[in-house]
Amino acid sequence: MALKNITLIGMPGSGKSTIGVLLAKTLGFDFLDTDLLIQTRENALLQDILDAHGTEDFLELEADAICSVECDRTVIAPGGSVICRERGIEHLRSLGPVVYLRIPCQVLEQRIQNMGSRGIAFKPGETLRDIYEYRTPLYEKYADIVVDGDRGSMEESLAAVLQALIGC
């Protein structure tokens, strides 16, 4: 498998970071969580950045951080809002294949109990379902590969990602 980089996209709670770390270990790649990159650049936690700047400015800061990424042999796990700014997701697409970890909304609703403090980019009054319905077509648009990430265990989801990558 001659992959330069792999980006995992999907909703918050879809397992991007967890599966990303496992995938990186399996492939002997590095792992990059772009939320941590943003926090380092801004010297603040994601929720604090969102609270201070608002959703729209946060999305611009996120895209700026993502466009600065240059790496090789790295599994990249961006925040779920990466698809909200075309320049950010297109940059990631230029680095290697993009894999969408698709999870049903009802599963995400069970997994995410701290929406107001988790650092999720959403507008006042929006629910997780609202975000899901807005973002899902964008994830599908930008993904090179779609994998159903709700397979029972992280190991099964990892195996599905690896199988899909072999075919690309």
Side-chain angles (χ1 to χ4, degrees):
M1 194 180 327
L3 297 172
K4 184 176 178 188
N5 299 290
I6 301 160
T7 298
L8 302 177
I9 63 171
M11 285 288 291
S14 64
K16 298 179 301 286
S17 294
T18 305
I19 292 172
V21 168
L22 295 172
L23 183 60
K25 286 181 180 183
T26 300
L27 297 174
F29 278 26
D30 291 328
F31 176 75
L32 173 62
D33 181 330
T34 65
D35 284 350
L36 298 178
L37 176 64
I38 296 164
Q39 288 183 168
T40 299
R41 284 174 66 125
E42 297 298 315
N43 197 30
L45 298 175
L46 281 185
Q47 189 60 53
D48 294 339
I49 299 166
L50 276 159
D51 292 344
H53 295 277
T55 301
E56 292 303 314
D57 285 347
F58 171 82
L59 294 173
E60 292 300 324
L61 291 170
E62 178 182 48
D64 289 344
I66 287 168
C67 287
S68 75
V69 170
E70 293 298 332
C71 54
D72 189 38
R73 296 179 49 81
T74 301
V75 175
I76 305 163
S81 55
V82 67
I83 43 75
C84 295
R85 293 293 182 267
E86 188 173 20
R87 65 189 172 100
I89 188 63
E90 288 295 350
H91 177 71
L92 292 175
R93 291 182 79 197
S94 76
L95 299 177
V98 174
V99 179
Y100 168 35
L101 298 177
R102 181 172 50 199
I103 305 283
C105 188
Q106 58 270 26
V107 172
L108 296 171
E109 288 170 337
Q110 293 169 355
R111 290 183 184 178
I112 298 174
Q113 301 300 317
N114 57 342
M115 197 160 138
S117 61
R118 185 176 166 140
I120 298 172
F122 66 99
K123 296 180 178 105
E126 282 187 316
T127 65
L128 186 61
R129 182 161 297 280
D130 295 331
I131 297 165
Y132 183 88
E133 289 173 2
Y134 170 74
R135 292 182 183 178
T136 296
L138 295 171
Y139 293 132
E140 292 171 356
K141 173 183 176 181
Y142 291 116
D144 298 302
I145 300 167
V146 177
V147 173
D148 288 319
D150 185 28
R151 297 188 171 254
S153 74
M154 286 298 163
E155 291 77 15
E156 291 169 306
S157 295
L158 172 63
V161 170
L162 285 167
Q163 185 64 39
L165 287 168
I166 290 170
C168 79

